Amino acid sequence: MRKFFGIATICVLLLSGMAVSPRPAAAAAPDPVLEWIGVMNSTVLTAGTAPNVTGRVVALVSASVFDAVNGIEPRFRPLHVRPDAPHNASQRAAAIQAAYVILINLYGTKQGATLTSQHDASLAALASTEDPKSIAAGVAWGQTVADAIWAWKLTDGFAPTPPPFFGVQSIAGTPNSLGLWRPTPPANASGATPQLATITPWVLTRPSQFRLPPPLALNDPQYTSDLNEVRDMGSLSSLSRSSGQTEVALFWALNTPLAWDRVAAQLSAARGLSLTENAHLFAVLNVTMADAIIACWDSKYRYIFWRPVTAIRAGAAPGDPDAAWEPLLDFLTGTPAHPEYPSAHSTYSGAAAFILADAFGENTAFSLTSEIRPGTRSYASFSEAIAEIADARVFGGIHLRSSCASGNSLGRAVADYVSRHVLRGRGDDQDDR
């Protein structure tokens, strides 16, 4: 029978010199940052965590891993936890423990056994190449850092869950409901995580720091053009949308932060980044995406702009009202339960593309798989993927093209700010402008 060991047990075994099913000496232990990005990806998908909440999850994990790794051999300024690790602590063990602690805190109730099994196997793989005392010290330091990050973010305002938000139905004395969001069919669910609009950001000074201007007016010719495009190309029964365009819309109906983490992991492996470089890359990427979605929600819940399905059924698009109009994505994920402007997918993606282009170069080729559809899509640059994402949201029937452009701009603004203000090299004295 295969045995799995808890934290305390495995540390005792390592210190006593007993074998803990180590991998063969010839097999190099995987980079634990990349390994646990993969574990996180599987865990979040298994749980069905919504993309808007996933931004917070990936930031919690990557921030903890970064401060744990960097706290042992500091090369960058810490995000939150001051470097104070034992001099002999294992960076790899610290990374494993930090990621594990956050994921157990979030998903331990239903996935605890799987996570503990993966955790114990990861630590056991270190036993053939690292000193047991170093591993034990790394585990203890990773635990300390993850506990500190977790405690820090418990007070950011994400919890407790606020009362349900029903858009125009929740706003007393609204004289005119045209243009205002309300629950959309088929689920008619209340607005998702309205507290994201007001929680304390990771790096931004406030959620509204990069608040967008209002969405297009309903009488703006550009609004009419954009909505007509969605009515034609984004309908479930569209005769104008090609099969290839349909596939694009379905492929990108994925969990956005996880998708960009998979891209980052692919590029990191190809470039052969070190443990510390990976910890830094994913911390910058994921903290940026977490703040980008906060900024996105600030604008969403400031303007509470209606979705295309509501506008088209109300007659805001050219032609007669179409009470039977359905977006393509209704049969798959449904229209997301939050205001339309700006696009969250484009905000996440604009932020991620900015960070990854800065790290690897704008014209870096990459490929991506989707948990929604089979197959792989390939891109010659980050801008090519960003353009396809805008198409996907329009062809899916859930966003105006202008809202995707605004979301992309917002994400890039957040990414530029975050990358210039945190996690910089210890010797970097450039002014924070």
Side-chain angles (χ1 to χ4, degrees), residues 28-170:
D31 182 315
V33 176
L34 297 183
E35 180 187 16
W36 279 81
I37 287 293
V39 171
M40 178 183 70
N41 181 83
S42 299
T43 303
V44 172
L45 291 179
T46 297
T49 304
N52 54 295
V53 178
T54 300
R56 177 181 173 81
V57 173
V58 298
L60 282 166
V61 171
S62 294
S64 299
V65 169
F66 171 77
D67 271 357
V69 170
N70 190 64
I72 295 171
E73 294 181 16
R75 287 180 49 191
F76 302 95
R77 300 176 189 178
L79 179 65
H80 179 68
V81 181
R82 183 174 64 88
D84 192 28
H87 71 279
N88 68 326
S90 163
Q91 287 182 303
R92 291 174 176 271
I96 293 166
Q97 188 68 20
Y100 169 74
V101 169
I102 297 299
L103 291 175
I104 277 289
N105 285 346
L106 292 168
Y107 300 105
T109 300
K110 294 186 177 180
Q111 299 189 62
T114 299
L115 287 167
T116 298
S117 171
Q118 292 166 321
H119 162 268
D120 293 351
S122 294
L123 288 182
L126 302 181
S128 63
T129 58
E130 296 198 27
D131 178 72
K133 292 183 180 179
S134 176
I135 296 174
V139 168
W141 173 244
Q143 181 80 40
T144 296
V145 171
D147 287 345
I149 296 289
W150 182 257
W152 175 37
K153 284 299 165 178
L154 281 180
T155 62
D156 67 358
F158 186 77
T161 302
F165 179 77
F166 295 101
V168 65
Q169 302 169 29
S170 299

Side-chain angles (χ1 to χ4, degrees), residues 154-417:
L154 281 180
T155 62
D156 67 358
F158 186 77
T161 302
F165 179 77
F166 295 101
V168 65
Q169 302 169 29
S170 299
I171 305 172
T174 302
N176 188 348
S177 65
L178 285 178
L180 295 181
W181 181 84
R182 72 287 314 271
T184 54
N188 291 306
S190 62
T193 55
Q195 70 269 34
L196 271 179
T198 57
I199 69 173
T200 303
W202 291 79
V203 180
L204 299 184
T205 60
R206 61 191 184 282
S208 63
Q209 184 173 347
F210 294 102
R211 179 177 290 171
L212 292 168
L216 295 171
L218 301 187
N219 61 357
D220 188 313
Q222 185 62 55
Y223 176 76
T224 301
S225 174
D226 281 2
L227 187 60
N228 193 44
E229 181 186 23
V230 176
R231 179 174 183 162
D232 180 35
M233 299 293 292
S235 169
L236 180 61
S237 58
S238 174
L239 298 179
S240 301
R241 187 182 59 244
S242 69
S243 59
Q245 290 169 328
T246 297
E247 194 59 36
V248 164
L250 301 180
F251 180 92
W252 280 106
L254 40 60
N255 188 310
T256 316
L258 296 183
W260 286 110
D261 271 11
R262 294 196 296 273
V263 171
Q266 173 191 141
L267 297 177
S268 165
R271 296 288 178 92
L273 298 190
S274 69
L275 173 74
T276 300
E277 289 169 337
N278 277 329
H280 181 258
L281 171 66
F282 283 97
V284 174
L285 173 63
N286 288 334
V287 166
T288 295
M289 287 197 288
D291 268 5
I293 203 64
I294 293 171
C296 177
W297 247 242
D298 167 76
S299 287
K300 277 184 178 288
Y301 281 87
R302 171 64 180 84
Y303 301 119
I304 55 171
F305 197 56
W306 61 3
R307 287 280 180 173
V309 61
T310 308
I312 292 167
R313 292 184 177 191
D320 295 329
D322 186 350
W325 189 90
E326 295 179 273
L328 169 64
L329 291 185
D330 259 12
F331 92 95
L332 184 66
T333 60
T335 296
H338 43 79
E340 190 270 343
Y341 175 82
S343 162
H345 199 320
S346 293
T347 304
Y348 266 142
S349 297
F354 183 101
I355 296 300
L356 294 179
D358 186 55
F360 299 106
E362 163 59 31
N363 294 317
T364 297
F366 64 92
S367 59
L368 179 65
T369 58
S370 169
E371 68 271 15
I372 301 298
R373 301 292 288 177
T376 301
R377 299 188 69 82
S378 298
Y379 306 92
S381 66
F382 293 107
S383 58
E384 182 183 355
I386 293 299
E388 186 174 271
I389 288 167
D391 285 344
R393 305 320 263 174
V394 172
F395 300 156
I398 62 172
H399 272 300
L400 305 182
R401 190 169 294 279
S402 53
S403 292
C404 295
S406 295
N408 179 57
S409 296
L410 176 60
R412 292 180 63 83
V414 171
D416 179 59
Y417 182 87

